Amino acid sequence: INATSNLASFSSSQAATVPDDVTIYIATAADAINGISLTKLAGKVIPANTGVLLYSATTGDQTLIYTGTSTDDFSTNILKATNDGTYTSTGSEYALIKGEQNFAQVQSGIVIPSNKAYVTIPGAGAKLSINFDQATSITNLNAGVGYDSATSYNLSGQKVNASYKGIIIKNGKKYIAR
């Protein structure tokens, strides 16, 4: 686990169980605008032939046990595995940047090492940020406050006026205001 980012990409041709202080993340969406969205898994077992990101506050080498059966749902995972071999990039692959919480485009012909994970996104740009999922809850709703469908909001949920430039949300849909 990298000392700066606390992250590592991982894959193997065998199922692997991670230590208690390691968290498994899968990538569930990726694009040039929103970056790569990660979802935290509850379990500790990575199925064989599955790419994941590992997070731990304890950096350095971690000991994985090559056994186990996962109870998590990996069906939405878009991370791909290099497993015990290598993968030669076609130019549309993105791999974790060492020491950063970002993915970078891997140039065509560059070899992605064994036991790593990558994601494929055609034409997304040079660098993609990682967006960790955030568990939130809403309590004590005020039924007296109404929703104004004519109002526009930025991605932070702030009201914006017609002069705002960028991505806006209006009537529950995303638009680009230029």
Side-chain angles (χ1 to χ4, degrees):
I1 307 288
N2 183 275
T4 306
S5 67
N6 297 83
L7 288 173
S9 71
F10 177 78
S11 67
S12 175
S13 60
Q14 301 176 55
T17 301
V18 300
D20 287 340
D21 65 334
V22 174
T23 303
I24 302 169
Y25 283 89
I26 59 172
T28 53
D31 62 58
I33 295 171
N34 299 310
I36 297 177
S37 297
L38 300 180
T39 299
K40 179 180 176 180
L41 300 181
K44 294 295 179 185
V45 179
I46 304 162
N49 308 312
T50 304
V52 296
L53 288 183
L54 302 177
Y55 174 86
S56 178
T58 306
T59 60
D61 292 340
Q62 296 283 344
T63 302
L64 305 179
I65 300 169
Y66 287 98
T67 188
T69 303
S70 178
T71 57
D72 287 305
D73 180 9
F74 285 82
S75 64
T76 59
N77 187 21
I78 61 172
L79 283 167
K80 298 180 180 178
T82 60
N83 295 329
D84 301 330
T86 60
Y87 175 80
T88 303
S89 174
T90 63
S92 60
E93 295 83 4
Y94 288 77
L96 184 65
I97 302 171
K98 184 177 182 178
E100 293 186 31
Q101 291 188 349
N102 295 296
F103 277 65
Q105 186 175 16
V106 181
Q107 294 179 351
S108 180
I110 299 295
V111 173
I112 300 174
S114 62
N115 299 107
K116 296 294 181 183
Y118 64 94
V119 64
T120 302
I121 312 166
K127 193 174 185 181
L128 298 171
S129 63
I130 294 175
N131 301 306
F132 291 90
D133 65 342
Q134 299 294 321
T136 59
S137 64
I138 300 172
T139 58
N140 300 327
L141 291 176
N142 183 347
V145 177
Y147 169 73
D148 180 6
S149 64
T151 304
S152 297
Y153 300 88
N154 65 17
L155 293 178
S156 296
Q158 301 163 322
K159 288 183 183 181
V160 295
N161 61 28
S163 66
Y164 181 83
K165 305 293 183 217
I167 299 173
I168 61 168
I169 300 171
K170 187 172 184 175
N171 294 327
K173 296 184 181 182
K174 293 180 190 172
Y175 299 93
I176 297 176
R178 298 176 185 199

